[in-house]
Amino acid sequence: MLILDLLYFVDFLFLISALGMLIPVSNRKYKDRFYVPFMGLAITAFVATVSYTTLHMPLTITWVILHIVALLTLLWKRRFDHWPLQTWSYLLAVFLLLMLPKWILGANYAVFQGNQWDHFGYFQSAVIYLTKSYSFLQNLTTKDVLQNSLYLIAKDNLNVRPSVHILFALSGAFKPLLLYKLSYTFLATLFSFSALVVSRLCCKLELQKRSVLLPYLVGVVFVVGFWGQYIFDINAWSEIAALPFILLIVGELLCFEEISYFRLSAWGVATLYLYPEILLFYSPALLLVAILLRKSIGKKVLLAAITVVASGLFYLDGTLAFVFKQARYGVGGGSFFWTYFQKFFFGKGDLVLELKAKADSYLLAMSPLDKGAAVAKVNWFWFFKNFFLSDASGILIIFFIVVNILAAFSGHYFLTPMRGISFSLTTLWSLLLLFYLAALYFFALSYLWKSLLRPKYLKYNDSSDSKEKRFYLTLIIFISLAAIAVLVLKQQFWSAGKALTFVSPLLLIVIVLSLADKGGLKKVLLVIFMLHQLSLAPWRILSGLSNDFVANVPYAGNSYPAILKDAIQSKTHYSFAIDETLAKIHTHGCDLVILQIKELWAREYWKSVLSLTPQVHFYSGGRKVMSYFDKGDFLGYEELPRKLPFYRPCTLADDLTLSFGSVK
């Protein structure tokens, strides 16, 4: 497994690094060749999507063509030195650090993390995009879906920013049968780029003047600290893929003296195709910064923006049309404050369960027959005011809520009071945490305020250019936080929580910048903050190893975005290390596998793996076929994939034992 992961990483880097040399990225300065691999990644994502959806080209052929072009480019340029050895080493080190949980905790950990719904949506779509053509999906029949429900998931996702699904499928095209082993590796590879871009942005803001190593530590902290783990654990494939590019756009505007139309256009196109929501979220702040810059720069930004919008016309349904649909959803009606993954704002204790119990009783009283109708009209701010501010115990609960929200907002969820401790100990713990957070917020907000209103207060050894960059960074952060506040006021808590992950790397940079100064208290706070975030990397592995009840599920609890009970059962009772069983199926020449696996996600995993082999079909006993896994519209009952008799059928029992015999 380790060798396969490393070969995948090397091939991925080779492809994007070579392709990135096709488009000019700099003013012929050596340092600016840093952007070459990112240019290649943007090219790869765009070409893969357009070739599959518009040109209807199989991804295996696209993979071959792109590698031929990469080799020819390498022979033409005769150089591969755009990054110094220390940059390559840093990227490899971050990748290895991200891969350690997979290598130590095994297949049951790596198969998916906290959000099996989205993960299988991405993964199964990629499997079908690699094995079936775009035309096949467009002409899909009900009979096709009843024989393989993965087809409908893949077809529906063609209109839901499919670029990251297609990119993953393309990256595994060198050996399609092994694609099921590479989803975690794919995400770790992309996420390592975010660490690199964050460290680069810190250097641009002259953080290295405080410490040469600090910018690189900040990059590591982002991907292995709370926010990085959170983004990874909600299986946000598109966000992971797009984060480097949106940060590159921010860096491009902050470092306006080096702005490039080609780079800005490439980063925008990549973001539009991979995750248009994050581009939409940042657009108001980025446009305001562009307006405030010089006219010559504003023209470049305008031209790049036109290029980005025009690129969306190559696949309108999955880019521009989709993002407008998402925008309407994101600012729509109210939602539950404890659902999805934003419930971590209430800490890792039992508080979220208490709040949910009160909210459920409140909704039942409002609308006994329709909980959904009740939540659409409820005012959750009124709920908190009237349920908790009427007595002393309620006021104390509000105090706990405020402390937990402040902790979660700054990436300190794991420092909140744990479950099962006494009320007095919870109070004392919360007070101590509040003192730490108050100091942290004071310095960070002071830094932002001074940067925005009085740049001359930044009396470091910085150039005036650096102060101006920090002014624009602060402007972007304030506008982003204002947008999040609007979502909260509209009670769109899921959208607000997701948007906070978009701006989390910038918040991290500001926290470090505000503390990276002379002064005893600031240094102490910086050390505590950095050590806490870095400690989450080994803690992730240790928690997965030590959790006896839930094997290979770090942080399974009430409020952290852990997988639901059905998926926990799947990881506890089923093994996802399937190589030996899969080898037996191929060795015996089985062309039909009868799946008797009862649990949904273990069964979906096997269906995905078997779909990678065209000559092997599956049948799970005529189960109901729904439009979205076991949810949504009822489409019919599963049908056998082709007429009997099959030559060599086999049965995979619920205990994952394999038997061979005839099917009648």
Side-chain angles (χ1 to χ4, degrees):
M1 181 166 59
L2 187 149
I3 300 299
L4 176 65
D5 291 333
L6 292 177
L7 287 175
Y8 176 88
F9 179 71
V10 170
D11 177 71
F12 197 94
L13 281 185
F14 161 74
L15 179 64
I16 64 173
S17 297
L19 292 177
M21 292 187 284
L22 289 171
I23 297 179
V25 296
S26 69
N27 299 320
R28 303 182 183 276
K29 296 179 181 178
Y30 178 83
K31 64 176 182 178
D32 285 342
R33 290 205 296 273
F34 168 87
Y35 300 108
V36 166
F38 297 100
M39 181 67 75
L41 181 56
I43 292 172
T44 304
F46 175 75
V47 170
T49 304
V50 172
S51 66
Y52 183 78
T53 59
T54 305
L55 303 180
H56 302 178
M57 185 183 297
L59 289 175
T60 49
I61 295 178
T62 304
W63 184 89
V64 172
I65 292 174
L66 287 177
H67 275 74
I68 292 174
V69 173
L71 285 170
L72 292 176
T73 304
L74 199 59
L75 293 173
W76 171 41
K77 295 290 185 178
R78 296 185 179 180
R79 65 185 310 159
F80 207 70
D81 60 348
H82 41 269
W83 282 355
L85 181 60
Q86 66 187 43
T87 304
W88 288 111
S89 301
Y90 178 75
L91 185 69
L92 177 61
V94 174
F95 171 75
L96 295 176
L97 189 60
L98 291 171
M99 290 299 296
L100 279 179
K102 176 184 179 180
W103 294 334
I104 294 174
L105 298 177
N108 274 43
Y109 164 77
V111 61
F112 55 84
Q113 284 64 60
N115 182 1
Q116 70 277 14
W117 295 92
D118 283 4
H119 171 83
F120 276 100
Y122 287 116
F123 177 62
Q124 291 187 343
S125 297
V127 167
I128 300 304
Y129 297 156
L130 184 56
T131 55
K132 296 294 182 180
S133 68
Y134 180 85
S135 300
F136 171 81
L137 293 176
Q138 291 300 101
N139 297 306
L140 204 61
T141 65
T142 302
K143 187 176 183 64
D144 294 327
V145 174
L146 295 179
Q147 292 178 355
N148 190 337
S149 59
L150 274 68
Y151 295 153
L152 184 60
I153 298 288
K155 180 180 180 180
D156 288 345
N157 278 333
L158 284 173
N159 296 327
V160 185
R161 43 168 162 74
S163 291
V164 71
H165 321 54
I166 294 172
L167 181 63
F168 172 52
L170 175 81
S171 67
F174 69 96
K175 190 66 173 175
L177 295 181
L178 298 179
L179 188 70
Y180 70 95
K181 294 185 175 184
L182 295 171
S183 61
Y184 186 98
T185 313
F186 171 69
L187 296 176
T189 300
L190 293 178
F191 218 19
S192 61
F193 295 142
S194 288
L196 193 60
V197 176
V198 168
S199 66
R200 171 80 168 187
L201 193 54
C202 288
C203 290
K204 289 289 187 181
L205 294 166
E206 301 184 6
L207 185 59
Q208 76 276 15
K209 288 187 176 181
R210 318 296 185 271
S211 169
V212 175
L213 294 178
L214 195 53
Y216 302 100
L217 281 176
V218 175
V220 174
V221 160
F222 172 64
V223 296
V224 305
F226 171 78
W227 284 114
Q229 291 197 24
Y230 175 84
I231 294 168
F232 210 97
D233 281 344
I234 62 174
N235 294 101
W237 286 35
S238 293
E239 182 176 354
I240 290 173
L243 265 175
F245 292 108
I246 198 67
L247 293 176
L248 284 170
I249 293 174
V250 171
E252 198 76 25
L253 293 181
L254 295 183
C255 308
F256 48 84
E257 76 282 358
E258 302 171 4
I259 197 168
S260 161
Y261 158 75
F262 290 107
R263 290 200 303 261
L264 201 56
S265 298
W267 312 154
V269 170
T271 310
L272 176 66
Y273 271 75
L274 291 168
Y275 196 40
E277 296 98 314
I278 199 171
L279 185 62
L280 181 67
F281 174 78
Y282 268 99
S283 290
L286 296 176
L287 289 175
L288 179 59
V289 170
I291 291 171
L292 294 176
L293 293 173
R294 296 191 299 269
K295 286 186 178 180
S296 58
I297 296 172
K299 290 180 180 178
K300 288 184 180 180
V301 174
L302 177 61
L303 186 59
I306 294 173
T307 303
V308 171
V309 173
S311 72
L313 299 178
F314 284 94
Y315 191 56
L316 184 64
D317 290 341
T319 55
L320 298 174
F322 170 75
V323 74
F324 288 127
K325 187 189 307 180
Q326 283 292 87
R328 290 195 298 271
Y329 166 78
V331 296
S335 64
F336 299 109
F337 62 81
W338 68 86
T339 53
Y340 300 112
F341 303 114
Q342 77 275 6
K343 61 184 178 180
F344 75 92
F345 279 102
F346 300 100
K348 58 184 171 67
D350 296 321
L351 181 61
V352 69
L353 297 180
E354 297 176 20
L355 293 174
K356 183 179 182 302
K358 285 185 177 291
D360 279 337
S361 62
Y362 174 60
L363 291 172
L364 186 63
M366 286 186 60
S367 182
L369 300 178
D370 191 348
K371 189 176 181 179
V375 76
K377 59 184 179 182
V378 70
N379 186 323
W380 289 118
F381 301 106
W382 181 93
F383 165 80
F384 279 103
K385 176 184 175 182
N386 286 273
F387 269 70
F388 298 104
L389 294 180
S390 58
D391 54 53
S393 61
I395 293 174
L396 196 55
I397 289 177
I398 292 293
F399 166 72
F400 292 150
I401 291 173
V402 171
V403 173
N404 287 332
I405 288 176
L406 289 174
F409 193 89
S410 56
H412 292 87
Y413 163 85
F414 291 106
L415 291 184
T416 57
M418 65 179 63
R419 298 175 60 189
I421 62 176
S422 65
F423 191 80
S424 58
L425 186 55
T426 299
T427 305
L428 178 60
W429 190 327
S430 298
L431 282 171
L432 293 174
L433 180 58
L434 181 61
F435 287 139
Y436 164 71
L437 293 173
L440 201 71
Y441 274 90
F442 172 77
F443 289 122
L445 291 173
S446 297
Y447 176 89
L448 288 171
W449 188 253
K450 292 174 183 178
S451 298
L452 188 63
L453 298 183
R454 299 290 296 275
K456 67 179 182 180
Y457 280 150
L458 297 174
K459 296 177 181 178
Y460 308 126
N461 295 322
D462 299 335
S463 62
S464 58
D465 175 63
S466 176
K467 294 176 183 178
E468 193 169 1
K469 292 174 184 176
R470 295 182 183 189
F471 166 77
Y472 289 123
L473 174 64
T474 302
L475 193 62
I476 291 171
I477 289 175
F478 270 127
I479 294 174
S480 300
L481 293 180
I484 293 172
V486 170
L487 291 172
V488 171
L489 292 174
K490 292 182 69 66
Q491 302 191 120
Q492 274 295 313
F493 302 113
W494 163 239
S495 299
K498 199 71 168 66
L500 186 57
T501 67
F502 299 166
V503 76
S504 61
L506 301 184
L507 295 177
L508 170 64
I509 291 172
V510 164
I511 290 174
V512 175
L513 283 170
S514 67
L515 300 177
D517 190 21
K518 295 179 180 179
L521 180 57
K522 285 186 177 182
K523 284 188 176 180
V524 171
L525 290 173
L526 180 61
V527 170
I528 293 174
F529 177 78
M530 297 294 283
L531 287 179
H532 166 62
Q533 296 295 324
L534 290 171
S535 68
L536 296 180
W539 179 245
R540 182 181 188 82
I541 298 173
L542 291 173
S543 63
L545 290 172
S546 63
N547 196 327
D548 295 328
F549 177 68
V550 186
N552 300 313
V553 183
Y555 322 133
N558 291 330
S559 55
Y560 186 78
I563 56 180
L564 302 177
K565 290 181 179 179
D566 56 346
I568 289 177
Q569 181 184 7
S570 175
K571 285 199 172 190
T572 306
H573 295 99
Y574 295 90
S575 172
F576 289 88
I578 65 171
D579 291 357
E580 185 177 344
T581 305
L582 194 60
K584 289 180 181 178
I585 292 173
H586 292 307
T587 301
H588 285 79
C590 294
D591 53 9
L592 175 66
V593 180
I594 309 298
L595 297 175
Q596 295 182 343
I597 300 171
K598 297 177 182 178
E599 202 282 320
L600 172 65
W601 302 111
R603 188 170 64 250
E604 290 297 324
Y605 184 67
W606 269 103
K607 288 165 64 176
S608 306
V609 173
L610 294 173
S611 294
L612 289 168
T613 309
Q615 65 271 24
V616 179
H617 305 272
F618 60 82
Y619 179 66
S620 53
R623 294 176 179 273
K624 288 183 178 180
V625 178
M626 310 298 289
S627 58
Y628 186 65
F629 301 112
D630 64 345
K631 308 292 183 183
D633 299 327
F634 171 66
L635 303 177
Y637 291 94
E638 184 186 22
E639 296 180 0
L640 283 166
R642 57 187 174 118
K643 292 183 179 180
L644 293 175
F646 288 90
Y647 294 107
R648 293 186 179 88
C650 57
T651 300
L652 188 63
D654 191 54
D655 61 359
L656 301 186
T657 57
L658 195 64
S659 59
F660 304 93
S662 61
V663 177
K664 297 181 180 180

Coordinates of all heavy atoms in Angstrom, one line a residue, residues 156 263 300 342 485:
D156 N -26.3 12.2 -11.8 CA -26.7 13.4 -11.0 C -25.6 14.3 -10.7 O -25.7 15.5 -10.7 CB -27.4 13.0 -9.8 CG -28.8 12.3 -10.0 OD1 -29.3 12.5 -11.1 OD2 -29.3 11.7 -9.1
R263 N -1.8 33.8 -14.4 CA -2.0 33.1 -13.1 C -3.4 33.3 -12.5 O -4.1 32.4 -12.1 CB -0.9 33.5 -12.1 CG 0.5 33.1 -12.4 CD 1.3 33.1 -11.2 NE 1.4 34.5 -10.6 CZ 2.4 35.4 -10.7 NH1 3.4 35.1 -11.5 NH2 2.3 36.5 -10.1
K300 N -6.4 44.1 -15.2 CA -6.0 42.7 -15.3 C -7.0 41.8 -14.6 O -7.3 40.7 -15.1 CB -4.6 42.5 -14.7 CG -3.4 43.0 -15.5 CD -2.1 42.7 -14.8 CE -0.9 43.2 -15.5 NZ 0.4 43.0 -14.9
Q342 N -21.9 21.5 11.9 CA -21.6 22.7 12.6 C -21.9 22.6 14.1 O -21.7 23.5 14.9 CB -22.4 23.9 12.0 CG -23.8 24.0 12.4 CD -24.7 23.2 11.5 OE1 -24.2 22.4 10.7 NE2 -26.0 23.3 11.7
A485 N -21.8 36.3 9.1 CA -22.8 36.9 10.0 C -24.2 36.9 9.4 O -25.2 36.7 10.1 CB -22.3 38.2 10.5

